[in-house]
Amino acid sequence: MFTLAEVASLSDIQPTYRILKPWWDVFMDYLAVVMLMVAIFAGTMQLTKDQVVCLPVLQSTVNSKVQPGTSGKADFTTVETTTGQGEEASMTTVPFGSDATVTPDVPLSTATQYQPTESGQEPKKDQKDSSGRRTNLDFQQYVFINQMCYHLALPWYSKYFPYLVLIHTIILIVSSNFWFKYPKTCSKIEHFVSILGKCFESPWTTKALSETACEDSEENKQRLTGAQSLPKYVSTSSDEGSPSASTPMITKSGFKFSADKPMIEIPSVTILDKKDGEQAKALFEKVRKFRAHVEDSDLIYKLYVGQTVIKTVKFIFILCYTANFVNTISFEHICNPKVEHLIGYTQFECTHNMAYMLKKLLISYISLICVYGFICLYTLFWLFKKKNTFNTLLKREESSFSDIPDVKNDFAFLLHMVDQYDQLYSKRFGVFLSEVSENKLRGISLNHEWTYEKLRQHVSRNAQDKQELHLFMLSGVPDAVFDLTDLDVLKLELIPEAKITAKISQMTNLQELHLYHCPAKVEQTAFSFLRDHLRCLHVKFTDVAEIPAWVYLLKTLRELYLIGNLNSENNKMIGLESLRELRHLKILHVKSNLTKIPPNITDVAPHLTKLVIHNDGTKLVVLNSLKKMTNVAELELQNCELERIPHAIFSLSNLQELDLKSNSIRTIEEIISFQHLKRLTCLKLWHNKIVSIPSSITHIKNLESLYLSNNKLETLPVAVFSLQKLRCLDVSYNSIAVIPVEIGLLQNLQHFHITGNKVDILPKQLFKCVKLRTLSLGQNCITSIPDKVSQLLQLTHLELKGNCLDRLPATLGQCQLLRKSGLIVEDHLFDALPSEVKEVLNQDTSIPFPNGI
């Protein structure tokens, strides 16, 4: 025998799981407990008091006839029958007539004969009371027949009803809690309940809810009083659409902590302990990882639906077969045990003393199971109807965190179950699903860590002698950054949640901004400041959609550097937005993988003076858009896999500098067309595969700089030295063996680079170029340096390292501007110089260099 407490424990689950049990599960658990009590009560009664009492049915026929008497009453024969146990006696009154007969098979001793009386007289009574009909059965025979008839005459349901109820109830209890015990769902549920408990108790939850409550109350107050709202802050991000002229910023749909509402400073709310902040950040990370893990499948939902279906089928089955047995439970039963050879009787009439109690318990059980079944049907209706609304669970109108992204699968189902238990749980858990909430926490922690003093220590001066601050991989932009009012350059790298607030208007010296993988959001006031003050912007991205929409609206921007994927071959929707609003843009630098020049670049063609395109090796095929760049003075097409000089370039009449570095150009016969570019002064064809220079190069009469390094040149044609205005000639890292004597014609030559060739002799005419300031002769086969090097009075840089020199000429000391720092040579050659020469070379000089490029 087991106790009620032990049975009740079957329906008990861990208290922590109760938050996942909505009202219908709780109600069904209580119904299951009541059904258990019914089963236990019925079973206890059956084990202790259940029995049947049987009497044989006598085979005599008593012809009863009512005789008229003076009293008008009928005569009866009273038979006293004793039960098998001899404890109780029942009296049977049999009416009889004047001709009473006894069947032959009944002994005379078992019947009492009465003689009829005359009319109007009362019958004569015996001296002692009648003892009824005798059956001639002893006690053992009655016990035997009672047990036989218990098993034969009683319906099986009357005997096993308590046990069936117990088994069915246990199955229902197991079905209700199976999803808590199944290994593949149990671990997820335990993890979810654990995280939910921590989120519920986190100080950050209270802070976030309190802050949003304050904001909501303030908003309502302003709405009621009709007060004018503050200027609306607008935030944009990479996934927003193109802004219109009337609406310069497009906000994401959803709640923003500071976007549409004035900030309400509450000291007790904004202060958060550092330890609590770290714990809250850890909770955000746990929730993110758990969500990614659980949203992959809907196993928990399917299992819950499955166990509910099983309970519903069980309810229908129980109801169908139980209803048929209600009428079979009765007090009286006829028993034919077929033991006449042992008892002497063939038929018995039996009574079942538990019949009325069992019938009432069965009706109660049917009532309970009906209620249980209707709840199961409601649960199924709720599950199938609400499945498509799980995603909108946390986006109620009264919720302060409507920015929560859609949840799905098992994660949505668990949140919905918690919400059915108590909406407070889902509301508090929603704090850790809100991006706004997480960003707010990050902002508080960030401002605690990055103070003004710490930021000031990270400020440095760049190559342009400007004050620069570089922030890398932070959770946001610290507020103290905007207090650095003397900052010239601000670099933000890998800060996905960067937000530029209105305080940037304090940074009056800020003119250059770098956003590296940082789709910064900008408030309206901050945008107005940047639009009027920002001059140079660098944007590095992976996808063009990451470029903030406000970038295309900076009307005073002069320099724009875009670094990232702009190839729209795979997706026609990918591309730059219109640059039409950038009316003052002068320099556009694009480093990408273009196959054609984006047509939007032509929007700035009228005022663009410099265009730089650095490809990553992707072949740039379509260049027709270049013809519209009529005002471009500098053009760079680097690493574009060009095989020839594009013809579109010859239409750029204002072109002054052309750079075709790192392409696959083999021949430059088209160079004759450059004669139409009257302003072209610098031509850079370095890092290509050019094998020869055509004589038509003489037509570029205004050319001042020519870069042909890292090609496959073997000779220098005489035509090159007819360019009288040439000031810089770079033919380094080719296969040139001889420097033509015509080099002496270049009287304006200031920089000559021929490093990394096969030159062995320096012509004396080289030293007639008296304006030379830089002479790079390293990594050749030169064996001696003529003494005429002393004629190069303006020489400041001389590279001789990597040759076959035995000594250096002592006349180097006559090169007045040459110092040891500008002399690149082996140490032993320098040490071999006369001491007075070394002394001259070691002297410092403050003589200004002559003007040059």
Side-chain angles (χ1 to χ4, degrees):
M1 191 63 188
F2 41 82
T3 63
L4 181 61
E6 293 173 340
V7 175
S9 65
L10 295 174
S11 63
D12 190 25
I13 57 174
Q14 296 183 17
T16 53
Y17 287 172
R18 291 177 182 171
I19 59 176
L20 292 176
K21 295 182 75 68
W23 68 266
W24 55 80
D25 274 352
V26 176
F27 194 28
M28 284 191 287
D29 284 346
Y30 282 111
L31 288 176
V33 172
V34 175
M35 286 187 282
L36 272 178
M37 295 175 65
V38 170
I40 294 171
F41 178 71
T44 303
M45 294 291 293
Q46 191 177 54
L47 292 174
T48 58
K49 295 185 178 181
D50 193 25
Q51 61 183 5
V52 296
V53 177
C54 300
L55 288 178
V57 178
L58 302 180
Q59 299 300 321
S60 61
T61 303
V62 180
N63 296 323
S64 303
K65 186 179 295 184
V66 179
Q67 300 295 332
T70 57
S71 62
K73 295 183 180 179
D75 295 329
F76 293 86
T77 298
T78 302
V79 180
E80 183 177 357
T81 305
T82 306
T83 63
Q85 287 80 1
E87 296 175 356
E88 298 177 356
S90 62
M91 302 299 294
T92 303
T93 304
V94 182
F96 63 95
S98 58
D99 297 330
T101 59
V102 181
T103 57
D105 57 341
V106 179
L108 294 177
S109 61
T110 64
T112 303
Q113 297 182 3
Y114 296 88
Q115 298 298 328
T117 61
E118 294 182 0
S119 177
Q121 297 178 356
E122 292 183 359
K124 185 178 180 179
K125 295 184 179 180
D126 292 341
Q127 294 180 354
K128 62 179 181 178
D129 296 332
S130 173
S131 61
R133 293 188 178 186
R134 298 187 180 278
T135 60
N136 289 332
L137 297 178
D138 58 16
F139 177 77
Q140 294 297 333
Q141 289 174 317
Y142 274 112
V143 173
F144 173 75
I145 199 64
N146 288 344
Q147 293 179 354
M148 285 289 294
C149 289
Y150 182 82
H151 293 286
L152 295 177
L154 259 64
W156 68 270
Y157 194 78
S158 298
K159 295 178 287 184
Y160 301 111
F161 163 71
Y163 309 106
L164 291 174
V165 174
L166 180 63
I167 292 173
H168 291 324
T169 306
I170 291 176
I171 293 175
L172 292 176
I173 292 174
V174 172
S175 299
S176 295
N177 300 310
F178 183 71
W179 67 312
F180 294 125
K181 305 299 181 182
Y182 186 61
K184 291 186 177 181
T185 59
C186 177
S187 58
K188 294 181 180 179
I189 294 174
E190 287 181 354
H191 197 183
F192 175 77
V193 172
S194 174
I195 293 177
L196 182 61
K198 293 178 180 178
C199 293
F200 192 87
E201 298 173 356
S202 173
W204 172 247
T205 307
T206 305
K207 169 186 163 33
L209 293 177
S210 301
E211 185 165 326
T212 53
C214 291
E215 290 174 355
D216 291 341
S217 62
E218 182 65 22
E219 185 183 58
N220 294 334
K221 181 179 178 181
Q222 290 186 2
R223 188 183 300 114
L224 291 174
T225 57
Q228 295 293 331
S229 62
L230 295 178
K232 188 174 182 180
Y233 293 156
V234 181
S235 300
T236 64
S237 63
S238 60
D239 57 351
E240 296 167 351
S242 304
S244 62
S246 60
T247 307
M249 314 301 273
I250 300 178
T251 60
K252 285 186 178 179
S253 61
F255 177 84
K256 304 291 182 185
F257 265 100
S258 61
D260 300 330
K261 304 181 180 66
M263 293 300 297
I264 309 300
E265 296 295 336
I266 303 177
S268 60
V269 173
T270 55
I271 297 176
L272 188 69
D273 183 76
K274 183 177 181 180
K275 182 179 179 181
D276 293 336
E278 294 298 325
Q279 290 176 349
K281 287 194 290 185
L283 271 179
F284 272 107
E285 187 64 24
K286 286 183 179 180
V287 170
R288 187 181 297 107
K289 290 182 178 179
F290 176 77
R291 178 180 178 182
H293 173 63
V294 176
E295 280 190 331
D296 290 340
S297 66
D298 57 352
L299 177 62
I300 299 178
Y301 171 76
K302 289 180 178 178
L303 188 61
Y304 188 83
V305 172
Q307 70 183 30
T308 306
V309 170
I310 291 174
K311 290 189 291 183
T312 305
V313 172
K314 190 73 176 173
F315 145 71
I316 297 173
F317 171 72
I318 294 173
L319 189 62
C320 289
Y321 87 86
T322 303
N324 294 329
F325 290 107
V326 175
N327 294 327
T328 62
I329 300 177
S330 62
F331 181 72
E332 296 179 357
H333 298 277
I334 300 298
C335 179
N336 299 299
K338 296 182 182 180
V339 290
E340 185 178 358
H341 60 287
L342 297 176
I343 305 299
Y345 297 93
T346 60
Q347 190 175 28
F348 294 84
E349 185 170 349
C350 306
T351 60
H352 185 202
N353 63 338
M354 285 289 297
Y356 294 113
M357 180 61 70
L358 287 178
K359 194 167 186 176
K360 294 182 182 298
L361 290 176
L362 178 58
I363 294 173
S364 301
Y365 175 67
I366 292 175
S367 302
L368 292 173
I369 203 67
C370 285
V371 176
Y372 193 97
F374 287 132
I375 294 176
C376 289
L377 292 175
Y378 170 80
T379 303
L380 287 177
F381 171 77
W382 180 85
L383 286 172
F384 292 117
K385 182 180 179 181
K386 295 291 185 179
K387 181 178 181 181
N388 295 329
T389 64
F390 285 165
N391 290 349
T392 59
L393 165 67
L394 298 175
K395 294 187 177 182
R396 302 188 186 92
E397 293 181 359
E398 66 271 14
S399 174
S400 300
F401 301 102
S402 56
D403 73 303
I404 297 173
D406 286 345
V407 292
K408 58 184 179 179
N409 292 337
D410 283 344
F411 191 68
F413 174 68
L414 290 174
L415 286 176
H416 219 75
M417 296 296 282
V418 169
D419 185 67
Q420 288 296 319
Y421 179 81
D422 189 347
Q423 292 185 1
L424 182 60
Y425 279 94
S426 59
K427 186 175 182 180
R428 283 181 168 261
F429 193 77
V431 172
F432 289 88
L433 293 174
S434 168
E435 293 182 3
V436 170
S437 173
E438 184 174 7
N439 294 339
K440 192 70 176 178
L441 173 65
R442 289 176 178 174
I444 293 175
S445 302
L446 187 69
N447 292 328
H448 279 310
E449 180 180 0
W450 290 86
T451 60
Y452 176 84
E453 292 74 16
K454 184 175 181 179
L455 289 170
R456 176 59 68 181
Q457 294 175 0
H458 285 76
V459 175
S460 61
R461 289 196 172 271
N462 59 14
Q464 290 77 30
D465 197 31
K466 295 181 178 181
Q467 291 197 58
E468 176 183 297
L469 176 62
H470 188 185
L471 299 179
F472 178 73
M473 289 188 70
L474 298 182
S475 59
V477 181
D479 291 341
V481 168
F482 306 114
D483 295 330
L484 301 173
T485 55
D486 56 345
L487 203 63
D488 300 310
V489 182
L490 177 60
K491 292 185 177 181
L492 306 177
E493 183 172 0
L494 292 174
I495 306 178
E497 299 297 333
K499 185 175 182 180
I500 300 176
T501 64
K503 292 180 64 178
I504 198 174
S505 57
Q506 302 174 172
M507 306 174 69
T508 54
N509 290 340
L510 184 66
Q511 293 188 350
E512 184 173 341
L513 179 63
H514 295 244
L515 301 176
Y516 294 162
H517 301 287
C518 179
K521 302 174 184 178
V522 179
E523 294 181 356
Q524 181 64 44
T525 306
F527 167 74
S528 300
F529 172 80
L530 293 175
R531 181 186 58 194
D532 297 335
H533 291 80
L534 198 62
R535 297 294 180 264
C536 180
L537 177 64
H538 296 247
V539 182
K540 189 174 183 179
F541 51 90
T542 303
D543 191 281
V544 67
E546 296 177 13
I547 302 177
W550 53 268
V551 168
Y552 304 103
L553 303 174
L554 300 174
K555 296 181 180 180
T556 60
L557 193 67
R558 297 183 181 274
E559 300 179 24
L560 177 59
Y561 296 79
L562 301 176
I563 305 172
N565 181 20
L566 290 174
N567 192 346
S568 59
E569 291 296 322
N570 298 328
N571 188 351
K572 298 299 182 181
M573 300 303 294
I574 295 178
L576 288 173
E577 299 291 340
S578 175
L579 304 178
R580 192 174 293 107
E581 296 295 328
L582 306 181
R583 300 170 186 172
H584 294 85
L585 190 66
K586 300 296 183 182
I587 299 174
L588 178 59
H589 185 120
V590 180
K591 186 175 182 180
S592 184
N593 54 346
L594 300 173
T595 56
K596 62 179 180 180
I597 296 179
N600 288 337
I601 291 181
T602 59
D603 294 339
V604 293
H607 43 81
L608 197 66
T609 60
K610 181 177 181 178
L611 175 62
V612 180
I613 297 179
H614 286 195
N615 256 12
D616 60 355
T618 304
K619 190 171 183 178
L620 190 60
V621 180
V622 182
L623 295 167
N624 294 332
S625 300
L626 287 177
K627 295 180 180 180
K628 300 179 181 180
M629 308 287 179
T630 54
N631 291 323
V632 168
E634 298 181 33
L635 177 62
E636 294 184 20
L637 302 176
Q638 297 188 14
N639 206 15
C640 298
E641 289 297 316
L642 300 175
E643 297 179 356
R644 304 181 73 89
I645 299 176
H647 288 278
I649 294 177
F650 305 137
S651 302
L652 306 179
S653 57
N654 291 316
L655 190 64
Q656 298 179 16
E657 181 176 332
L658 176 62
D659 189 348
L660 300 178
K661 181 181 179 181
S662 299
N663 285 283
S664 300
I665 300 175
R666 298 178 181 275
T667 177
I668 53 174
E669 296 298 331
E670 302 90 344
I671 203 170
I672 190 174
S673 299
F674 282 136
Q675 63 182 331
H676 304 295
L677 306 181
K678 302 298 184 180
R679 298 184 179 182
L680 185 64
T681 59
C682 180
L683 179 59
K684 298 180 179 180
L685 300 173
W686 45 0
H687 296 271
N688 280 281
K689 301 176 181 179
I690 302 172
V691 295
S692 63
I693 302 174
S695 58
S696 56
I697 196 172
T698 57
H699 294 90
I700 315 177
K701 299 187 181 209
N702 293 323
L703 197 63
E704 297 180 1
S705 302
L706 179 60
Y707 294 83
L708 292 167
S709 63
N710 295 90
N711 279 282
K712 297 182 179 181
L713 298 175
E714 295 183 355
T715 59
L716 285 176
V718 178
V720 173
F721 305 107
S722 64
L723 301 173
Q724 294 298 318
K725 294 184 179 181
L726 199 64
R727 295 194 298 169
C728 179
L729 177 60
D730 186 355
V731 290
S732 302
Y733 300 102
N734 282 279
S735 299
I736 300 172
V738 177
I739 300 177
V741 295
E742 287 80 5
I743 194 172
L745 300 175
L746 300 177
Q747 291 299 309
N748 291 316
L749 190 65
Q750 297 182 11
H751 306 274
F752 181 48
H753 306 273
I754 196 169
T755 302
N757 283 275
K758 301 177 181 179
V759 177
D760 55 357
I761 297 177
L762 296 178
K764 295 181 181 180
Q765 289 78 3
L766 174 62
F767 303 102
K768 291 183 179 180
C769 303
V770 294
K771 293 183 179 180
L772 272 176
R773 295 177 54 200
T774 303
L775 180 59
S776 300
L777 303 172
Q779 302 179 35
N780 279 281
C781 303
I782 301 173
T783 56
S784 63
I785 303 296
D787 293 338
K788 290 189 176 183
V789 69
S790 60
Q791 298 177 10
L792 306 179
L793 298 180
Q794 298 184 20
L795 190 66
T796 60
H797 181 88
L798 176 60
E799 180 184 352
L800 299 173
K801 195 171 185 178
N803 284 284
C804 303
L805 297 174
D806 294 332
R807 63 179 183 85
L808 294 177
T811 54
L812 280 177
Q814 299 179 21
C815 298
Q816 300 176 0
L817 302 180
L818 184 64
R819 295 293 177 264
K820 183 180 179 180
S821 59
L823 178 61
I824 311 302
V825 70
E826 286 82 357
D827 292 339
H828 70 278
L829 293 178
F830 182 82
D831 294 338
L833 286 171
S835 57
E836 61 274 9
V837 175
K838 290 191 291 183
E839 184 178 351
V840 171
L841 294 175
N842 285 326
Q843 287 180 357
D844 191 11
T845 180
S846 58
I847 300 177
F849 294 153
N851 293 332
I853 62 171

